[in-house]
Amino acid sequence: MTGSICKAAVLAGAAALATTGCNSMKQIKHDPYPETARGEVVDNYFGTEVSDPYRWLEDDNSAETAAWVAAENAVTNAYLEQIPFRGAIRERLTELWNYPKEGAPAKHGDWWYYSYNDGLQNQAVICRTAEPGQEGEVFLDPNTLSEDGTVALAAMSFSKDGRYFAYAAAASGSDWVEIRVMDTATGQLTDDRIEWVKFSGAVWAPDSKGFYYSAYDAPKQGVYSSQNQFQKVYYHTLGTPQSADRLIYEDKDHPLRYFAAWPSDDGRWLFVSGSEGTSGTEILYRRVSETKFRTLLPGFANDYRFVDCRNDQLYYMTNEGASNYALRRISLTAPSKIETVIPEHERNLLEGVTTAGDCLFATYLQDAQSRISQYDYDGKPVRTVELPAIGTVGGFDGGKEDSVIYYTLTNYTSPATIYRYDIASGESTLYKAPEVAFDPSLYVTEQVFYPSKDGTQVPMFITRRKDLKLDGKNPCLLYGYGGFQINLTPGFNPSALMFVEQGGIYCVANLRGGSEYGEAWHKAGMLENKQNVFDDFIAAAEYLIAQKYTSKERLAINGASNGGLLVGACEVQRPDLFAVCLPQVGVLDMLRYHKFTIGWGWAVEYGSSDNAEQFPYIYKYSPLHNIREGVKYPATLVMTADHDDRVVPAHSFKFAARMQHAQAGEAPVLIRIESKAGHGAGKPTSKRIDEAADMYAFLFQNIGVPYRPVAK
């Protein structure tokens, strides 16, 4: 890229942004792409023939795939190594990441437990203290579970009496976890070891003698790619081998369902939640003394989420007849008796309900920002909690006897800050605020609303330097997700802040498919309505250009998982609109996603190519199948990982191969394949920084704007 007009962040301390003159950036050429064999595979979908020339890349165990991965990584690494400011970006990211990160303390037994990372530790350490504010001690350091920090805690739980601590450990980012148990008095591991668990942790029985968990049979082949079927619920008694665990629930007629157990605190009732996918549930129940489960809340048209069980009444959240969700309770002795405790809010989404101090705390989303209301158990309002700042809240959870609880608050320019909350008075006081290597006062986040293709108003957060001139020449990174009821609320991201520090504009669009505005917002972006999500994202890009935030020569888009699908679909639909596309661990082959691991669970969101009515609309937007030969596509860096058993890397492999074959322009199409990493959860800090450094180096290089080191 030559003759580019560049914005440079000239920073002295946290100095002002200045405009430089014209600079020439060295144009970098990538090495030739590997020769990727094209097969003759053709599938017939209800009379439509669809070629799949790179089907062989689905075999993640083959020597041919391994050789291709090595060759592609070599091309990508050679390209990235030529970017002169790659090292400077990594150095600054390391500085921004390097601040103490502490979680809100919660009491279990005689101790208060919290997570702590001194700055650059690969995994947060579990610490404890006798009283909040006193010096803590290390209880469990996950960094000691592997030499390279690639074993992470996927779930944690304490027995009701606080005597035992169970954790689910995931290796190299896999969804498979192993459950281990610690004695909190001694800090020693017990002999209990539970394997082949996925999407489950230990759910303790009230008597603290054992726990429930959900597991699959050990896979016979393809540990990280084979389809997972017949999840079962078990009960494990402490001190016994897994082989002796008691089968609590299974469904031999429906192999593609998830199940999870949940016992009442009084030990009288046991519930099993069933789901056919990522939304829509069914609740079964029985007395603990019984053996047969009965249907309490039938599935799978609505969502039901456990909140509490007391006095033989189950408190649960639901969107049944309430798009923005309501809290209800149902009598377990007279199931026809259902009462609304907290009615649906006319405008705001009821995102969650927690309990503490014999009170209910309702977390609402108002235009994707947290609001908290406190109620008693009959739904009588106690107060609206006055939050110290606008942002995203976590916490407001504790025991029945607690008088004080702790919560966190974060936004785009502030890492998680911990506050102490007095349940009786409603007063919040600062407990701990992190010290960071930047000046938050230099930045501002605004929320705008823009029209999508069909006129729907869509919200978007825009974070930038306060002194930035909106002249249409600024680097801009647009991020989105748009699916699975996932809400994108304000949160701190060190790499995004580095981009903003450089004069970039970081934008997060709250697309349909999430549930920022309830189930209606979700349904407007799923199944046959999925194109609305892409239209929303494209409209966001067009708005940013029209309002002079940026230009198409400076605009990059990014998203992960379902957001990777978003980026891939928008890239192939509007290759003229973006300079850089960054799909991460994306669902990119929409015709075969359901054939791997737990992909079948997403059919409730996407539909399935096995369905004659759903195939046409899926095929119409599937990123892999809409790549066109001879098109000039934007610079593209596809990112995936070898242990991703959520969205198997074959999606990214096939997309990158097909895009490289089709590319008619000079912009690079590269793929970065991380080793010993998975879908993202639990990824070591060192790998996160490496990945972000490569992504942003690629971004700056391909919009023709050099990174300017921050003056010390």
Side-chain angles (χ1 to χ4, degrees):
M1 308 280 179
T2 58
S4 301
I5 298 177
C6 302
K7 281 287 187 181
V10 181
L11 301 164
L17 188 72
T19 303
T20 66
C22 294
N23 291 288
S24 295
M25 282 184 65
K26 177 184 176 183
Q27 193 172 28
I28 295 175
K29 295 288 187 180
H30 61 79
D31 293 340
Y33 301 130
E35 290 288 337
T36 307
R38 290 172 60 85
E40 303 296 329
V41 177
V42 176
D43 295 313
N44 190 302
Y45 294 91
F46 311 103
T48 299
E49 291 192 341
V50 180
S51 65
D52 192 3
Y54 303 111
R55 178 73 59 83
W56 62 272
L57 285 171
E58 292 180 355
D59 185 356
D60 57 350
N61 292 314
S62 75
E64 292 80 6
T65 299
W68 182 87
V69 167
E72 288 284 354
N73 267 341
V75 171
T76 299
N77 290 335
Y79 179 89
L80 294 172
E81 286 171 357
Q82 296 180 70
I83 300 176
F85 42 76
R86 180 193 187 194
I89 290 177
R90 192 187 192 288
E91 180 181 350
R92 182 55 179 156
L93 285 172
T94 301
E95 292 172 347
L96 290 171
W97 235 289
N98 191 14
Y99 66 90
K101 306 164 187 68
E102 188 167 326
K107 192 172 187 180
H108 301 283
D110 296 329
W111 295 87
W112 290 81
Y113 292 82
Y114 60 96
S115 63
Y116 183 79
N117 188 313
D118 62 15
L120 296 175
Q121 289 173 286
N122 279 319
Q123 305 293 340
V125 177
I126 308 303
C127 299
R128 65 182 182 182
T129 180
E131 288 293 335
Q134 294 183 2
E135 184 177 354
E137 65 181 36
V138 173
F139 175 65
L140 172 63
D141 184 356
N143 297 288
T144 64
L145 301 179
S146 62
E147 293 184 359
D148 55 5
T150 56
V151 170
L153 302 187
M156 299 175 288
S157 62
F158 288 86
S159 61
K160 191 173 182 180
D161 60 8
R163 181 181 174 185
Y164 296 104
F165 170 76
Y167 66 84
S172 301
S174 171
D175 281 333
W176 291 115
V177 299
E178 179 180 86
I179 297 177
R180 300 301 308 271
V181 178
M182 292 176 62
D183 185 318
T184 59
T186 65
Q188 298 299 309
L189 282 172
T190 68
D191 292 332
D192 302 271
R193 183 192 299 267
I194 310 297
E195 299 179 311
W196 302 117
V197 176
K198 186 175 279 197
F199 310 121
S200 175
V203 181
W204 286 91
D207 62 8
S208 302
K209 295 180 180 179
F211 54 81
Y212 301 91
Y213 66 93
S214 304
Y216 291 94
D217 294 336
K220 295 181 174 59
Q221 59 183 5
V223 171
Y224 300 113
S225 58
S226 295
Q227 189 181 72
N228 303 134
Q229 298 183 355
F230 296 107
Q231 190 179 43
K232 304 178 183 69
V233 177
Y234 294 92
Y235 177 79
H236 174 75
T237 300
L238 289 179
T240 64
Q242 184 176 0
S243 59
D245 289 354
R246 179 159 47 97
L247 178 64
I248 297 298
Y249 187 80
E250 67 174 332
D251 187 339
K252 295 181 178 179
D253 295 326
H254 300 95
L256 304 183
R257 285 184 181 175
Y258 304 108
F259 298 103
W262 188 76
S264 62
D265 284 344
D266 60 14
R268 291 167 55 83
W269 300 93
L270 180 62
F271 304 91
V272 167
S273 173
S275 175
E276 292 186 330
T278 50
S279 61
T281 50
E282 178 176 74
I283 305 299
L284 310 176
Y285 78 123
R286 65 171 171 83
R287 293 181 185 273
V288 170
S289 59
E290 300 172 336
T291 57
K292 185 177 181 180
F293 282 92
R294 292 160 284 164
T295 300
L296 181 66
L297 297 166
F300 293 90
N302 304 295
D303 291 330
Y304 305 107
R305 304 175 192 169
F306 300 122
V307 173
D308 200 0
C309 182
R310 56 164 59 190
N311 301 324
D312 293 337
Q313 295 183 107
L314 175 68
Y315 287 73
Y316 64 98
M317 280 179 56
T318 183
N319 58 6
E320 182 181 7
S323 177
N324 285 332
Y325 286 83
L327 179 70
R328 295 183 183 143
R329 64 187 174 198
I330 183 172
S331 171
L332 301 177
T333 56
S336 60
K337 184 180 179 182
I338 299 178
E339 300 173 288
T340 296
V341 180
I342 302 176
E344 176 187 17
H345 193 282
E346 181 181 355
R347 183 173 181 272
N348 298 340
L349 170 73
L350 179 61
E351 190 177 32
V353 178
T354 53
T355 65
D358 209 30
C359 290
L360 300 168
F361 291 90
T363 300
Y364 289 96
L365 279 190
Q366 181 177 322
D367 294 327
Q369 300 173 48
S370 294
R371 301 287 187 270
I372 309 294
S373 294
Q374 185 175 340
Y375 298 88
D376 68 16
Y377 265 80
D378 287 323
K380 180 182 177 181
V382 176
R383 66 174 60 88
T384 297
V385 177
E386 293 186 15
L387 297 175
I390 291 174
T392 301
V393 170
F396 281 99
D397 196 6
K400 183 178 180 180
E401 308 302 324
D402 288 346
S403 60
V404 170
I405 53 177
Y406 294 81
Y407 68 92
T408 59
L409 181 63
T410 184
N411 55 42
Y412 290 111
T413 57
S414 175
T417 300
I418 307 173
Y419 294 88
R420 179 184 185 273
Y421 181 77
D422 186 284
I423 295 175
S425 69
E427 182 182 6
S428 291
T429 54
L430 178 65
Y431 174 66
K432 284 190 179 179
E435 296 182 5
V436 291
F438 66 94
D439 183 357
S441 68
L442 296 176
Y443 309 100
V444 63
T445 296
E446 57 185 326
Q447 187 178 44
V448 301
F449 293 82
Y450 65 90
S452 189
K453 183 178 181 179
D454 63 0
T456 299
Q457 291 292 307
V458 180
M460 176 165 57
F461 292 104
I462 300 176
T463 303
R464 58 181 175 84
R465 289 182 62 91
K466 289 179 179 178
D467 58 2
L468 193 67
K469 182 180 179 181
L470 302 184
D471 57 5
K473 300 174 183 178
N474 302 302
C476 184
L477 178 60
L478 173 60
Y479 182 87
Y481 188 81
F484 295 93
Q485 302 173 310
I486 300 297
N487 305 317
L488 297 187
T489 59
F492 184 69
N493 180 342
S495 57
L497 186 82
M498 179 277 298
F499 181 71
V500 173
E501 185 179 66
Q502 288 288 309
I505 301 175
Y506 181 67
C507 307
V508 177
N510 296 107
L511 314 172
R512 282 175 284 186
S515 61
E516 285 90 344
Y517 296 101
E519 185 60 13
W521 194 253
H522 173 223
K523 288 182 176 178
M526 62 185 289
L527 296 173
E528 71 274 12
N529 298 319
K530 188 65 179 178
Q531 183 59 41
N532 285 337
V533 182
F534 313 136
D535 291 342
D536 290 355
F537 204 54
I538 290 168
E542 292 174 334
Y543 173 89
L544 292 166
I545 293 169
Q547 298 300 315
K548 302 295 185 182
Y549 286 94
T550 191
S551 65
K552 63 182 181 181
E553 291 81 17
R554 295 285 186 271
L555 178 59
I557 56 175
N558 175 226
S561 193
N562 177 73
L565 159 63
L566 171 71
V567 171
C570 291
E571 175 173 15
V572 299
Q573 289 183 20
R574 288 295 305 275
D576 60 305
L577 191 57
F578 316 107
V580 177
C581 295
L582 304 161
Q584 293 177 268
V585 293
V587 187
L588 299 163
D589 182 349
M590 297 306 299
L591 301 187
R592 290 178 58 78
Y593 74 84
H594 58 295
K595 297 182 180 294
F596 304 98
T597 61
I598 47 82
W600 51 263
W602 314 330
V604 297
E605 182 82 11
Y606 297 138
S608 170
S609 61
D610 294 337
N611 183 303
E613 294 182 1
Q614 296 174 337
F615 163 73
Y617 65 72
I618 298 172
Y619 184 43
K620 189 174 182 179
Y621 71 73
S622 177
L624 178 67
H625 302 96
N626 284 277
I627 297 170
R628 305 185 302 278
E629 300 286 333
V631 172
K632 293 183 178 180
Y633 286 105
T636 303
L637 180 62
V638 182
M639 289 169 279
T640 188
D642 62 355
H643 279 64
D644 189 346
D645 50 2
R646 182 84 56 85
V647 179
V648 295
H651 285 273
S652 295
F653 294 173
K654 293 163 69 175
F655 183 80
R658 201 160 195 164
M659 185 71 78
Q660 288 175 349
H661 184 267
Q663 175 68 301
E666 295 183 358
V669 175
L670 304 176
I671 181 169
R672 183 187 188 278
I673 305 154
E674 184 72 76
S675 62
K676 296 193 72 176
H679 199 59
K683 183 177 289 185
T685 298
S686 57
K687 287 184 179 289
R688 291 184 184 276
I689 293 174
D690 286 343
E691 181 180 58
D694 289 351
M695 186 182 94
Y696 281 94
F698 184 89
L699 191 166
F700 281 119
Q701 178 65 37
N702 285 284
I703 60 173
V705 177
Y707 173 86
R708 304 292 184 181
V710 175
K712 301 295 191 292

